[in-house]
Amino acid sequence: MLNRSAARRHHDPEDVITATIRDVAAAAGVSPATVSRAFGRPEKVDESTRRRIVEAAERLGYQPNRAAQSLTTGRTGNIGIMVPDLANPFFTSVLKGAQHQANRLGHPVLLADTEEDPSAELRFSRALAQQVDGLVLCGSLMSDDEVLQISRLRPLVLVNRQVPKLPAITVDNAGGARQAVTHLRALGHRRIGYVAGPPGSYSNAERYQAVSEHAEGAGLECVPVGHFEPSFEGGRGAADQVLLAGVSAVVVYNDVMALGLVNQLVAYGVAVPAEISVVGFDDIPIAAMFTPALTTVRIPREQAGGAAVAHLHALLTGGRPVPPPDLTTELVVRGTTARSR
Amino acid sequence: MLNRSAARRHHDPEDVITATIRDVAAAAGVSPATVSRAFGRPEKVDESTRRRIVEAAERLGYQPNRAAQSLTTGRTGNIGIMVPDLANPFFTSVLKGAQHQANRLGHPVLLADTEEDPSAELRFSRALAQQVDGLVLCGSLMSDDEVLQISRLRPLVLVNRQVPKLPAITVDNAGGARQAVTHLRALGHRRIGYVAGPPGSYSNAERYQAVSEHAEGAGLECVPVGHFEPSFEGGRGAADQVLLAGVSAVVVYNDVMALGLVNQLVAYGVAVPAEISVVGFDDIPIAAMFTPALTTVRIPREQAGGAAVAHLHALLTGGRPVPPPDLTTELVVRGTTARSR
DNA sequence: CTGTTAGCGCTTTCAT
DNA sequence: ATGAAAGCGCTAACAG
């Protein structure tokens, strides 16, 4: 006999009839407890009865009710992922990797787009915390304190951001910066610029510092250029200052900006890479589509998302796994860099 | 007295202690039922006691347990959104719009990326159905029958796809096609091509049909060109056939392809738009970033996502709202179209 | 307007 | 190896 659930009685009379654990128990001639065990701890159930139960469950189309499970176990099996902007290809890549891994691990994903609003971030975290076992926070803009606060609600893994004591998936920005600088040095550039993204950005700071260190360590001059919005328009806006800086090459905070910069430079009639070489960061898909195609430091975005989820999963099931090391970058040389004249 | 929940006892001893409805009831000197009402149907509770309850709840940091709510009501308050590919900017735009609207309406969002796999689509729908009150299916690749099957599990709204009897948010592809053709006609083109996307695509079929109808209705010749992958590479691959078709202008299934086509044409030394005009569909952000910038038919992607969620919400709360009309398109004239020579 | 009561479906002691 | 029973936190009749 199939149930008439609360849902059925009160709200959704045409809801599909769902078998409960009792229906299965009755059909298999066992108690509900045994059915529960048959799925949750199969080893504690006699193989033959287990088979009988599974068969009955299948016949009835039984699916455990997740709300009931959550209520009794206190776990939901879900994970939450928060990103600052779904329109940003960087974050959607991370999301895609995370989603993929979550899927493999059997965790449904609750998504939140904070639209770059730190206060929304706090609200969402609180709201999500209730229905997830853990959280992945991408490029969070909250203060360290706020993040810490959230981390007391649920286990959490950061991506592209660090907060003392909290697990984080990070990228070897310093290594990437070194790769970019070495490349430019090999091409004979002696004075390079770093076109900066938003002042508050963690990765921007890392990249700038590493570029300038490596440049100076190698006897190059390194000129900081502005802070700009991390957008195509922001990159275009940087063109004037790049020209003023008197450099033969620049490393740009990210690809979107680098593309905007190249676009504006070309519009000015400045030859890229003949007059100025440009290196981006990220290797977003469109970097390869432009003409000239962008030389850039690839960062493994999907991998980062996947690693974050994998680590969270480990946190949730095991104990305190070692956090994975920095993800390594790779220099992709394309058409926006050339020998210095 | 705060509770020691199942979660606390069995799985997560350091979980934050959470107040239950009984704690609030005790603190406010009322019964749990009254607390429940105070939040769910405030009008059925005396204003002064309601205030007392709210105050107590705040003091205790009470948040209703969603699992328990779901279990009793049969509703989760969540909605599910399924997209074929998170790496595709078209779908992330729809997702962003959907997410935004869901947020306004107070629905947490469960996300699934099917990675273009119809069977995954079916699996996900089934899995999600359990934890959501309704679903938004974007560009679903399932068969009509399968979609219908899912729709029996939960209310659902389609985006960019139609299945008889099911609510769908669609775009006025015919109108967009007409805008493109009219534009090309005004520029003096007499023989135009339509570069087709995947054979199975619903919107591709609509667009092709409308382009050819309007072209012929206006006395233009319309040449179908191939079927290609709806990707940058696919568009590049179309270049040869476009050249062979002997047309002075083409309408392309979508922007990504159009951009690829232009890229290859330019690589061949074919002048765009001087020799061939190109019109895309979608107006994805990068369309404006390329040089020359792409002339395209804008389709309101975020709006579509938002409308889908709004409609689903109406379905969930009200009765049978009228489905919104086709979303209108807009021709964005940029640099890839010019007068026919 | 408010309290009492009875579950929602599941998991988990505790017996057997 | 299995069953009986209790209870997770909440809502919704039903009384009063």
Side-chain angles (χ1 to χ4, degrees):
Chain A
M1 167 69 54
L2 299 185
N3 79 323
R4 355 160 195 68
S5 69
R8 192 163 164 61
R9 271 188 289 119
H10 306 308
H11 305 286
D12 211 344
E14 57 202 344
D15 206 353
V16 170
I17 287 151
T18 305
T20 74
I21 202 169
R22 284 149 92 132
D23 300 321
V24 177
V30 297
S31 78
T34 305
V35 177
S36 175
R37 286 190 201 98
F39 290 105
R41 319 72 185 252
E43 74 281 4
K44 316 213 78 177
V45 167
D46 191 80
E47 179 55 20
S48 71
T49 62
R50 198 192 63 80
R51 256 204 291 277
R52 204 151 27 94
I53 289 168
V54 168
E55 194 259 320
E58 247 154 41
R59 193 153 36 78
L60 299 178
Y62 169 71
Q63 301 225 183
N65 178 316
R66 312 245 327 177
Q69 280 182 316
S70 301
L71 186 57
T72 48
T73 63
R75 275 176 284 106
T76 63
N78 300 335
I79 66 177
I81 303 183
M82 222 161 59
V83 297
D85 180 14
L86 282 171
N88 182 327
F90 180 86
F91 294 117
T92 53
S93 293
V94 175
L95 177 60
K96 189 172 178 82
Q99 163 77 50
H100 182 82
Q101 182 68 6
N103 183 207
R104 296 187 33 169
L105 265 19
H107 296 294
V109 168
L110 278 277
L111 170 69
D113 176 355
T114 64
E115 314 197 342
E116 312 266 9
D117 174 359
S119 82
E121 226 172 308
L122 201 61
R123 281 200 313 281
F124 277 126
S125 309
R126 292 231 175 79
L128 280 188
Q130 256 192 92
Q131 338 192 37
V132 302
D133 296 343
L135 285 165
V136 172
L137 262 41
C138 279
S140 172
L141 298 167
M142 288 187 283
S143 70
D144 280 19
D145 266 1
E146 290 169 320
V147 175
L148 246 9
Q149 201 177 317
I150 300 304
S151 80
R152 273 187 289 268
L153 261 34
R154 293 288 169 213
L156 114 204
V157 175
L158 296 165
V159 174
N160 228 15
R161 156 93 191 245
Q162 284 188 293
V163 170
K165 319 290 270 182
L166 259 30
I169 306 299
T170 51
V171 166
D172 181 14
N173 281 313
R178 183 177 37 66
Q179 292 169 319
V181 171
T182 304
H183 173 58
L184 259 15
R185 194 155 60 91
L187 292 177
H189 296 278
R190 313 290 310 159
R191 180 179 160 83
I192 67 179
Y194 176 82
V195 180
S201 158
Y202 181 83
S203 45
N204 179 66
E206 279 205 337
R207 289 170 192 178
Y208 170 55
Q209 197 193 331
V211 166
S212 81
E213 263 173 24
H214 282 113
E216 279 156 25
L220 306 189
E221 275 182 88
C222 177
V223 189
V225 179
H227 281 284
F228 302 89
E229 283 295 300
S231 63
F232 192 79
E233 279 312 313
R236 296 184 54 175
D240 287 12
Q241 292 209 37
V242 166
L243 259 13
L244 254 16
V247 295
S248 62
V250 290
V251 177
V252 184
Y253 168 58
N254 74 13
D255 281 357
V256 185
M257 284 177 66
L259 260 7
L261 172 62
V262 172
N263 177 285
Q264 185 67 287
L265 253 16
V266 170
Y268 282 166
V270 178
V272 175
E275 292 180 71
I276 295 190
S277 288
V278 176
V279 182
F281 253 94
D282 286 355
D283 193 27
I284 57 179
I286 56 174
M289 300 179 186
F290 275 69
T291 312
L294 186 68
T295 294
T296 187
V297 177
R298 169 177 302 159
I299 90 170
R301 307 179 302 280
E302 296 198 10
Q303 200 184 324
V309 169
H311 190 252
L312 183 58
H313 175 81
L315 240 30
L316 258 22
T317 58
R320 297 266 163 263
V322 266
D326 278 7
L327 266 16
T328 60
T329 58
E330 179 191 349
L331 180 71
V332 184
V333 177
R334 290 197 275 244
T336 53
T337 47
R339 279 191 91 157
S340 172
R341 304 180 302 180
Chain B
M1 164 70 54
L2 298 187
N3 80 321
R4 353 160 198 66
S5 70
R8 193 163 163 61
R9 269 189 291 118
H10 304 309
H11 305 285
D12 211 342
E14 58 203 343
D15 206 353
V16 170
I17 287 151
T18 306
T20 75
I21 202 169
R22 284 149 93 133
D23 300 321
V24 178
V30 297
S31 78
T34 304
V35 176
S36 177
R37 286 189 202 101
F39 291 104
R41 324 39 213 256
E43 74 280 6
K44 317 211 78 177
V45 167
D46 191 80
E47 178 56 19
S48 72
T49 63
R50 199 193 63 79
R51 254 204 293 276
R52 204 150 27 95
I53 290 168
V54 168
E55 194 259 320
E58 247 155 40
R59 194 152 36 79
L60 299 178
Y62 168 72
Q63 301 226 181
N65 178 317
R66 312 248 325 179
Q69 280 181 316
S70 302
L71 186 56
T72 47
T73 62
R75 276 175 284 107
T76 63
N78 300 335
I79 66 177
I81 302 183
M82 221 162 59
V83 296
D85 181 13
L86 282 171
N88 182 327
F90 180 87
F91 294 117
T92 52
S93 292
V94 176
L95 177 60
K96 190 174 176 81
Q99 162 78 50
H100 182 82
Q101 183 68 7
N103 182 208
R104 294 189 31 170
L105 264 20
H107 297 293
V109 168
L110 279 274
L111 171 69
D113 177 355
T114 64
E115 312 197 344
E116 311 266 9
D117 174 359
S119 82
E121 227 173 307
L122 201 61
R123 280 201 312 283
F124 277 127
S125 308
R126 292 230 175 80
L128 279 189
Q130 255 191 93
Q131 342 192 35
V132 302
D133 296 343
L135 285 165
V136 172
L137 262 40
C138 279
S140 173
L141 298 168
M142 289 187 282
S143 70
D144 279 19
D145 266 1
E146 291 170 319
V147 175
L148 246 8
Q149 201 177 315
I150 300 305
S151 80
R152 273 187 289 269
L153 262 35
R154 294 287 168 210
L156 117 204
V157 175
L158 296 165
V159 175
N160 228 15
R161 156 93 190 246
Q162 284 187 292
V163 170
K165 319 290 272 179
L166 259 30
I169 305 299
T170 51
V171 165
D172 181 15
N173 281 313
R178 183 176 37 66
Q179 292 170 318
V181 171
T182 303
H183 173 56
L184 259 15
R185 192 154 63 91
L187 293 176
H189 298 276
R190 313 291 310 161
R191 179 179 160 86
I192 67 178
Y194 177 81
V195 180
S201 159
Y202 181 83
S203 45
N204 179 65
E206 279 206 336
R207 289 170 192 179
Y208 170 55
Q209 196 193 331
V211 166
S212 81
E213 263 173 25
H214 281 114
E216 279 156 26
L220 307 188
E221 275 182 90
C222 177
V223 189
V225 179
H227 280 284
F228 302 89
E229 284 295 300
S231 63
F232 192 78
E233 281 310 314
R236 296 185 54 175
D240 287 12
Q241 291 208 39
V242 166
L243 258 13
L244 254 15
V247 295
S248 63
V250 291
V251 177
V252 185
Y253 168 57
N254 75 14
D255 282 356
V256 185
M257 285 176 67
L259 260 6
L261 172 62
V262 171
N263 178 285
Q264 185 65 290
L265 253 17
V266 169
Y268 283 167
V270 178
V272 175
E275 292 179 69
I276 296 190
S277 287
V278 176
V279 183
F281 253 94
D282 285 355
D283 193 27
I284 57 179
I286 58 173
M289 300 179 187
F290 275 69
T291 311
L294 186 69
T295 294
T296 186
V297 177
R298 169 176 304 161
I299 89 171
R301 306 178 303 280
E302 295 197 11
Q303 200 183 324
V309 169
H311 190 253
L312 183 58
H313 176 82
L315 240 30
L316 258 22
T317 57
R320 298 266 162 264
V322 268
D326 278 7
L327 265 16
T328 60
T329 59
E330 181 190 348
L331 180 72
V332 184
V333 177
R334 290 198 274 244
T336 55
T337 47
R339 280 191 90 158
S340 171
R341 302 182 302 178

